[in-house]
Amino acid sequence: MQSIMIVVLGIIGMLLGWFVYSKFIASKIFRLDENFVTPAHELRDGVDFVPTNKVVLWGHHFTSVAGAAPIVGPAIAVYWGWVPAVLWVVFGTMFFAGIHDMGALWASSRHKGKSMGALAEDVIGKRSRSLFMVVVFLVLLMVNAVFGVVIAKSFISQPNAVFPAWMAIVVALIIGQLLKRNFSLIPMCVVGIIVLYASVFAGSYIPIELPETLFGLSANANWIIILFIYAAIASLLPVWMLLQPRDFINGMQLLVGLFLLYGAVFFSLPDITAPAFNTQTAVDTPSIIPLLFVTIACGAVSGFHGIVSSGTSSKQLNKETDARFVGYLGAVGEGCLALITIVAVSGVALAASPEEWHEVYSHLGDGSVSAFITGGANLIQQGWGLPVDFSSTILATMVVLFAGTTMDSGVRLQRYIIQEWGEIYNISLLKGGFVATMIAVGTCLLLAFGAGGSSGSGGMIIWPLFGSTNQILASMTLLVISVMLIKMGRPAKYTLIPMTFVIVMAFLAGVIKLKEYWLAENYLLVTLDAVVLVVSVLVMLESWSVISKFKRESKASQ
């Protein structure tokens, strides 16, 4: 089968979701009102609450949520076969992710731009806020630890990407300073992209590698430590100095990457060599149900998106009706990235025959980011004629920049939660930014090395646990939206059905991984997994109590 069929059918499905389903949900269920005064106007302060053009806001939202996860997850999950991976990405985007992201924006906007944790307190109850904060913190902890490992592995396997990855930070810092001095944004971004791709070209000829052993640690371990030192510094800098200009650069980089990959498919028409359904899996391979639905988290549905939607995007919503454009279309963009990832790791660009493909994907977890970079680079070479080394550096840099930006934001958000705990429980030590950042980074390093050993090389064992926790958070967000709808007397089945499916799959996956971690005597992950499972049950019970109470009061008043 030609990969172009996957691309065309996948895009048609997502477009149907955008033009038909999202329009129905926006107008009939959420009932988005363009005359509603959004928090961006009501609480406008020129810093956090700023009315923003929907196209610009979509760019911010998309680059914030589109980290490395929609590459990592699909590149692993294709092991079960490309058909289930494609189906979950397409239908997950249409009926789960888009509704989740648009709903989180709408719900937060209706509550003065509050985060999902604070919103849970308003909608469900005070106890739910603390439970939400625990899950959000754990999601951020895991995503930071995983992406630290992903970047380190990319630096080891693709040393050509090291120079452009760090050069992008220098460019972003310069752009931040120029923008602060009122230089025009668009010319700065154009110049920044030109410099970035010049550094990509240079990186192809100047690979940078750490010694195999330094200070008694492997190169992989040293990269992880260096990355978290950077993340700690970056999270303490003002957002205008580094985070915002990096968002602009990454947004441009992502659009260029998607253009090259999708264009290559249409120009070269590559065949698929991966099995539609893999019947030659290793004996220790876990069941596709429920593990598929947590392996592909971002790219189908992601609780992390709810953090972004309610954390920053809702505060910049110019009109409530823009929530559809920003939220649903942002999910479609990430679905497109996940879809092209599946194509890149399933076709002749990666393996010329089914036998060669099975050599690359001999066990679950094989391939992953390295398969995406290799397959994507060969695909670009076949479609556009660009050198493979240059194409590999482009894609490796793209992965690193996405993961790095997520680490920047993730550590910053972890710091916010720790400082908030300091305020709630009146612990002065936790209120300071430096101490909170050190705790955030320290816990990330503890997880990266605690799960993967002193080298950090096995840190990807965290991924299924991250997927389960992330999906549980997504179901909790959908639950809050559902409770809001029920209280407003509107149909809630369009959010309750996805919520029920996601929580069942995520909970089952969490139980399966709990057993595996226990047998492997990895008690750190056993503890984290158990905490997430218990918290999710408590939130569900709390929500059911609120819904039951509301229904009783409604009947009594009739």
Side-chain angles (χ1 to χ4, degrees):
M1 180 178 182
Q2 287 189 333
S3 56
I4 192 170
M5 294 302 297
I6 298 175
V7 168
V8 170
L9 292 175
I11 291 178
I12 288 175
M14 294 185 200
L15 289 178
L16 282 173
W18 163 246
F19 285 110
V20 180
Y21 192 64
S22 73
K23 188 174 182 180
F24 165 75
I25 296 296
S27 61
K28 303 299 183 181
I29 307 303
F30 296 150
R31 301 177 190 174
L32 302 183
D33 181 5
E34 67 175 5
N35 296 317
F36 176 79
V37 180
T38 64
H41 290 281
E42 181 183 0
L43 304 174
R44 184 170 185 166
D45 60 7
V47 180
D48 296 317
F49 294 86
V50 181
T52 305
N53 177 278
K54 67 179 181 180
V55 177
V56 176
L57 182 56
W58 176 87
H60 159 76
H61 182 80
F62 183 31
T63 54
S64 296
V65 301
I71 295 173
V72 176
I76 293 175
V78 77
Y79 178 74
W80 283 296
W82 63 263
V83 168
V86 168
L87 289 177
W88 177 227
V89 164
V90 175
F91 287 105
T93 297
M94 293 172 64
F95 300 111
F96 293 75
I99 305 305
H100 171 278
D101 294 13
M102 175 169 56
L105 268 173
W106 167 72
S108 178
S109 177
R110 285 280 167 165
H111 288 78
K112 300 186 182 298
K114 289 184 178 181
S115 67
M116 289 312 303
L119 185 57
E121 180 179 359
D122 289 351
V123 175
I124 301 175
K126 189 172 184 178
R127 284 176 295 187
S128 63
R129 177 186 182 182
S130 299
L131 296 172
F132 243 96
M133 287 177 66
V134 170
V135 177
V136 170
F137 181 83
L138 291 178
V139 166
L140 294 171
L141 171 64
M142 291 176 205
V143 76
N144 290 334
V146 168
F147 284 179
V149 173
V150 167
I151 297 174
K153 284 181 172 293
S154 297
F155 281 168
I156 297 295
S157 62
Q158 298 286 336
N160 292 345
V162 175
F163 177 74
W166 292 105
M167 190 65 189
I169 297 171
V170 176
V171 172
L173 287 169
I174 294 173
I175 290 177
Q177 293 295 331
L178 293 176
L179 291 176
K180 189 70 173 178
R181 289 162 175 75
N182 297 319
F183 279 71
S184 179
L185 172 62
I186 294 178
M188 289 298 96
C189 286
V190 171
V191 172
I193 289 297
I194 292 173
V195 174
L196 175 62
Y197 278 95
S199 69
V200 169
F201 181 79
S204 300
Y205 297 95
I206 48 173
I208 298 175
E209 300 179 79
L210 292 180
E212 290 187 11
T213 304
L214 184 65
F215 304 119
L217 296 173
S218 67
N220 193 77
N222 279 304
W223 273 127
I224 292 173
I225 293 172
I226 291 171
L227 288 165
F228 275 107
I229 292 174
Y230 155 74
I233 296 172
S235 70
L236 289 169
L237 295 176
V239 291
W240 62 265
M241 188 177 292
L242 178 60
L243 190 60
Q244 288 180 345
R246 280 198 70 175
D247 271 352
F248 294 133
I249 293 174
N250 284 357
M252 298 291 288
Q253 166 82 343
L254 175 58
L255 292 177
V256 170
L258 288 176
F259 175 76
L260 290 175
L261 288 168
Y262 275 98
V265 171
F266 282 93
F267 289 148
S268 62
L269 305 176
D271 289 328
I272 294 296
T273 55
F277 298 92
N278 190 4
T279 59
Q280 302 179 35
T281 57
V283 293
D284 60 346
T285 303
S287 171
I288 185 174
I289 298 174
L291 267 298
L292 170 72
F293 302 102
V294 298
T295 303
I296 302 180
C298 301
V301 61
S302 168
F304 182 73
H305 292 200
I307 301 175
V308 175
S309 294
S310 63
T312 58
S313 299
S314 65
K315 298 175 177 61
Q316 302 173 62
L317 206 61
N318 184 39
K319 295 181 178 180
E320 188 177 75
T321 48
D322 292 348
R324 175 174 172 249
F325 186 92
V326 176
Y328 197 97
L329 205 58
V332 168
E334 190 164 64
C336 289
L337 177 57
L339 184 66
I340 198 64
T341 296
I342 295 171
V343 171
V345 300
S346 300
V348 294
L350 177 68
S353 67
E355 292 74 22
E356 288 186 17
W357 187 90
H358 281 290
E359 289 180 7
V360 176
Y361 277 91
S362 58
H363 292 84
L364 180 65
D366 291 346
S368 190
V369 173
S370 61
F372 167 75
I373 294 172
T374 301
N378 289 331
L379 185 62
I380 292 173
Q381 192 276 329
Q382 293 167 14
W384 296 92
L386 295 177
V388 172
D389 288 345
F390 180 62
S391 301
S392 296
T393 306
I394 289 176
L395 295 181
T397 303
M398 185 172 76
V399 172
V400 168
L401 290 183
F402 287 164
T405 300
T406 302
M407 284 183 66
D408 291 358
S409 301
V411 172
R412 185 183 297 270
L413 290 169
Q414 273 187 282
R415 169 168 64 84
Y416 290 163
I417 292 175
I418 294 170
Q419 289 179 291
E420 190 172 346
W421 279 331
E423 294 289 343
I424 293 172
Y425 301 107
N426 197 26
I427 303 174
S428 300
L429 186 64
L430 299 182
K431 296 179 183 180
F434 179 79
V435 172
T437 299
M438 292 303 101
I439 293 174
V441 170
T443 53
C444 290
L445 288 171
L446 176 64
L447 182 56
F449 289 104
S454 60
S455 68
S457 59
M460 283 305 292
I461 194 175
I462 306 166
W463 185 262
L465 179 57
F466 160 69
S468 298
T469 307
N470 192 34
Q471 300 303 69
I472 286 173
L473 178 59
S475 67
M476 291 166 64
T477 300
L478 287 168
L479 181 60
V480 171
I481 298 169
S482 299
V483 174
M484 274 187 63
L485 290 171
I486 290 170
K487 287 185 173 182
M488 298 170 78
R490 300 179 187 176
K493 62 182 179 181
Y494 301 99
T495 51
L496 279 176
I497 292 174
M499 181 276 292
T500 303
F501 180 85
V502 170
I503 190 62
V504 169
M505 292 298 113
F507 194 85
L508 289 176
V511 171
I512 291 171
K513 300 310 295 184
L514 184 67
K515 180 181 177 182
E516 289 183 13
Y517 296 145
W518 179 265
L519 293 176
E521 299 183 352
N522 194 329
Y523 299 119
L524 174 61
L525 297 187
V526 167
T527 303
L528 291 176
D529 199 350
V531 168
V532 171
L533 293 176
V534 170
V535 167
S536 64
V537 171
L538 292 175
V539 171
M540 295 297 160
L541 292 174
E542 186 85 8
S543 302
W544 179 253
S545 174
V546 170
I547 293 173
S548 299
K549 181 181 178 181
F550 177 77
K551 288 185 175 180
R552 287 196 302 269
E553 292 175 349
S554 297
K555 287 182 180 180
S557 62
Q558 291 177 355

